[in-house]
Each structure stands twice: as C-alpha cells, then as structure tokens.
Amino acid sequence: MSPQGPKTPLRTAVVGAGGIARGSHLPALRTLAEEGETEIVAAVDVSDAAVRSVAEEFAIPYASTDLDAMLAEVRPDLVVLCTPPAVHREQSVAALKAGAWVWCEKPPCPSLADYDAVEAVESGDDSAPYASIVFQHRFGSGARHVRRLLREGAFGRQLVAHCQTTWYRDTAYYAVPWRGRWATEGGGPAMGHGIHQTDLLLDLMGPWSEVRGMAARLVHDVETEDVSTAQVRFADGAVATVVNSVLSPDEVSRIRIDCERATIELTHLYGYGNADWRITPAPGVSDEEAAAWRDFGTDEPSSHLAQLRALVADIKAGRRHPTSGEGGRRTLEFITALYKSAFTDATVRAGDIGPGDPYYTALHGDAPGWAPAAAENAPTENAPAEDALTEAAPTEEAQA
C-alpha cells in the first residue's frame, strides 16, 4: 500500500444483499468498476441464498455468510456495509482491524458510544483505513455549488433556515419486525428518514450550538417516535427548524436557508438534481450576480455513485473523506441531542452528551415511555435484525 492509499481499482466487498445493496451500492460500484476505479471481489450476507443470488447477478467471485472468513481470505481494500445499524459497530471494527476502509450505510450507529468505538480503532492517519458514512446528499453538484457560495460569503450572513423531511409510511411498513425498534432500526424518522436532510443542513450551515426538540408517537404502534420537531441555534447565531415525519401523505424533502442577500431553497423527495434548487436574490442584488449564483454547472444528481466517486478519490489521495470521523459524528450528535431534548424537555448544547450520559449509549436514554419494555428487543449474534438485509427494500428506501 502506498503512503497515499491503495492503488486502484479498489478491491471492494459488499456486506448485505438486500434492497439498498442491489438498488444503490452495487450499481454504483459496477459503474466505477467499468471506469477502472473499483473491483467487486466479495459479497457477504447471513442468508446463503441471498448472497449467492447477488453474487450471480453482479458477477462477484466470492460469496460467503461469514464476514470474518471473507476478511481473512479476500483482504479487501474497501468494505461497504449495507446492513442494519445494530451490527454496524461490530462489522466496522472487524473490517478496520482487517485493514480495510469502511463505507457504512446510514444510520451510522445506534449511539455515539458505538460511533466512538469504531473511530477508536482507526489509526488517526488520514492515509490509513477509516470508516465513513453514506450521506450522499452532500455530494450532488447543487450542494457543492451552494456550499461554496455560502462559505465564500456570497449570500451574506445566514439568518434562518427550515429543514423538512415529511414522508408517509403505513402500517404495513411497520409490520416488518425490526422496524420501529430502537435496538434494530436505531430510531424513528429523526434517525432513519430525516437524517439525510439534517446532515445536508448541517453541512451547509456549519456547526450547531443548541437544540430544543419535541417527539411524539401519534399513529404507529412502535417503540420509536413517528414525528419530531426541533428548534436549532447555530454557532454563527442563525436559527432553524427541523421537522421529521412519517405521517405526511403529501411527501416532500425540503431545505430553505434565508441569508442577508438571498434565499436558497431545495425541494425534492429522495434525491435532487440542479433543477431542484432555487436561489432568490434580495432587492439590490444585480442581475449579473444573481445569474452567476444560478449557474450550477454540469448536473451531478445526489446519489450513492456521486459520493462513492468522491470517497474513492479521497482514499487514493490519502485524505479524510468528509463523512468520516468528526464529519460524520456531528450529525449523529445532533440527532442524539434532539432525542435527549425531546425526552427530557430541556435544551441540549453541542458537546453536552458524553460517557456517563444515558443518551451516549442509547438514543432513548432509558426515558420512561420511550425505552424498550424488555431486553428481548436487543439483537443477538444471529439477530433477526440482520435478516432484514436480505429483504428487498422499496425503491424509494434505496434512494433515500
């Protein structure tokens, strides 16, 4: 391995043969394989039938139900985790110890303690293996363009923002046994659905300083919430609202940021292109400047492929990927703070939650009325939660 990372193609193993792997990860890897950037060398799943099926479909030479055996025998450069969050810590640690980079599907881990345990295995050298999270909405051309303009101060001060993930999931959706449970899904819409818009909001606006949240279980018979809201203050003084719901028949994903010189809006559902962004200049902004703001350049939609391209480039160059380390942790910390605030009816500030805090080890924080009723919900070595990775997820889930 060179000081700047491995040579391409990156020998890549995919863990989990369910809908998200088949619908998003494997097609992206296959595209990059055609470009000489990756090589899909192995697939792993708890179901022998599922892993053999996906290996045949994508011409993968090695198929196994044993992650440790695969890591020892194949020695991949990159391991892509398409499994439920309850097993992300264990699988990430195993891959890192085997000398592989990790790209882990969201949600990253069920707790900050789990995330920190994964990061503790890393060497701290940016050119050595590290774990990163699938937050593909950061990597569309629209987000890159707006992020640059915000960082350059083109729009003036950030003032107020709104982040909305209002989707609809019916009773049949939650009939799948692992859904709606803290131990196996990691959280409700704040964690499992709205995390992408939340991550993009934080990426665009920068560090947050405090959050005041509310959560409710209004329709579904689940452990987690089915709707949440939050008021947020950012380090630069800007304020925002965040709404996450699975109760909304008119589905939409939206971010709006009002600055001194412009309003920036993104409206889409499960993925965006340049046409989904709108920039409205404030009075006094010249037509020429506004036209430059609206020139997004070549359209690269947000997608697993867009992020994977960036990740491979970062690994090759020996640099940190933006969704690894602190760049991934800050989103999980924000969501953890939202839950703590909602369940304790108190404002939570950045940096408040650490070892010894019940919310550091579980998003429900053992709060009465929210914590699981019995330990039987915890995953075991052969957890039913893992079996979920063999299920065909809905198309929108794969995109989201």
Side-chain angles (χ1 to χ4, degrees):
M1 185 180 298
S2 72
Q4 289 189 317
K7 303 293 185 182
T8 48
L10 290 183
R11 301 175 65 256
T12 304
V14 175
V15 183
I20 193 68
R22 291 174 182 267
S24 296
H25 289 274
L26 285 164
L29 285 165
R30 184 163 56 186
T31 296
L32 287 190
E34 293 169 353
E35 299 172 4
E37 296 293 330
T38 61
E39 178 187 2
I40 311 173
V41 296
V44 177
D45 194 280
V46 293
S47 165
D48 183 68
V51 74
R52 294 194 180 281
S53 171
V54 81
E56 180 179 358
E57 179 181 351
F58 289 90
I60 303 171
Y62 184 102
S64 176
T65 59
D66 189 326
L67 173 61
D68 291 332
M70 183 278 292
L71 292 171
E73 295 172 27
V74 179
R75 307 296 296 181
D77 299 313
L78 173 65
V79 172
V80 178
L81 298 182
C82 307
T83 51
V87 294
H88 285 172
R89 171 179 174 170
E90 173 190 350
Q91 293 175 343
S92 295
V93 167
L96 289 167
K97 286 184 175 180
W101 278 260
V102 174
W103 192 34
C104 180
E105 189 51 69
K106 62 84 183 170
C109 287
S111 71
L112 287 169
D114 289 330
Y115 191 96
D116 290 347
V118 172
E119 195 173 1
V121 179
E122 301 174 7
S123 69
D125 181 349
D126 289 353
S127 65
Y130 51 74
S132 54
I133 309 303
V134 175
F135 285 140
Q136 74 269 25
H137 288 325
R138 295 194 204 182
F139 296 90
S141 53
R144 287 198 303 269
H145 178 69
V146 169
R147 184 189 307 114
R148 177 180 62 81
L149 291 172
L150 286 167
R151 297 292 183 272
E152 292 174 352
F155 302 133
R157 284 192 305 133
Q158 300 172 157
L159 301 173
V160 59
H162 175 70
C163 179
Q164 174 183 354
T165 304
T166 44
W167 294 356
Y168 186 79
R169 298 294 182 265
D170 59 15
T171 302
Y173 176 86
Y174 285 104
V176 177
W178 60 272
R179 287 183 175 145
R181 293 189 176 193
W182 295 106
T184 50
E185 195 170 22
M191 180 69 157
H193 302 83
I195 190 170
H196 280 307
Q197 300 312 306
T198 298
D199 177 74
L200 180 55
L201 178 76
L202 299 179
D203 183 57
L204 294 175
M205 295 196 65
W208 62 277
S209 61
E210 62 182 28
V211 59
R212 183 66 187 253
M214 296 181 67
R217 197 185 290 124
L218 299 179
V219 172
H220 297 292
D221 183 17
V222 292
E223 290 180 350
T224 63
E225 86 287 4
D226 54 18
V227 64
S228 70
T229 65
Q231 295 174 304
V232 189
R233 192 183 308 277
F234 286 85
D236 66 358
V239 294
T241 60
V242 176
V243 180
N244 301 299
S245 166
V246 288
L247 310 178
S248 309
D250 183 9
E251 296 186 291
V252 69
S253 303
R254 180 179 292 123
I255 288 177
R256 172 178 170 139
I257 304 174
D258 293 317
C259 301
E260 289 178 308
R261 306 185 68 228
T263 291
I264 306 99
E265 294 175 279
L266 168 63
T267 304
H268 65 112
L269 189 51
Y270 300 122
Y272 63 79
N274 286 351
D276 297 311
W277 293 82
R278 185 174 69 175
I279 299 177
T280 303
V285 174
S286 70
D287 292 342
E288 292 78 13
E289 188 171 17
W293 291 346
R294 292 167 175 153
D295 182 4
F296 283 76
T298 303
D299 190 4
E300 182 177 21
S302 63
S303 67
H304 285 70
L305 177 59
Q307 182 175 0
L308 183 60
R309 275 207 175 96
L311 174 62
V312 171
D314 288 338
I315 291 174
K316 287 172 59 180
R319 61 176 173 250
R320 272 276 171 183
H321 188 63
T323 69
S324 68
E326 183 56 33
R329 191 185 192 276
R330 67 185 180 199
T331 299
L332 180 58
E333 182 190 9
F334 175 87
I335 293 169
T336 305
L338 190 160
Y339 280 120
K340 180 175 181 178
S341 176
F343 299 159
T344 62
D345 194 28
T347 297
V348 178
R349 291 171 175 80
D352 278 357
I353 302 173
D357 188 314
Y359 290 88
Y360 180 71
T361 52
L363 290 182
H364 54 72
D366 293 325
W370 289 103
E376 65 194 34
N377 290 323
T380 61
E381 183 178 353
N382 297 308
E386 274 198 77
D387 292 338
L389 58 89
T390 65
E391 293 187 34
T395 302
E396 66 269 18
E397 294 270 298
Q399 294 172 341

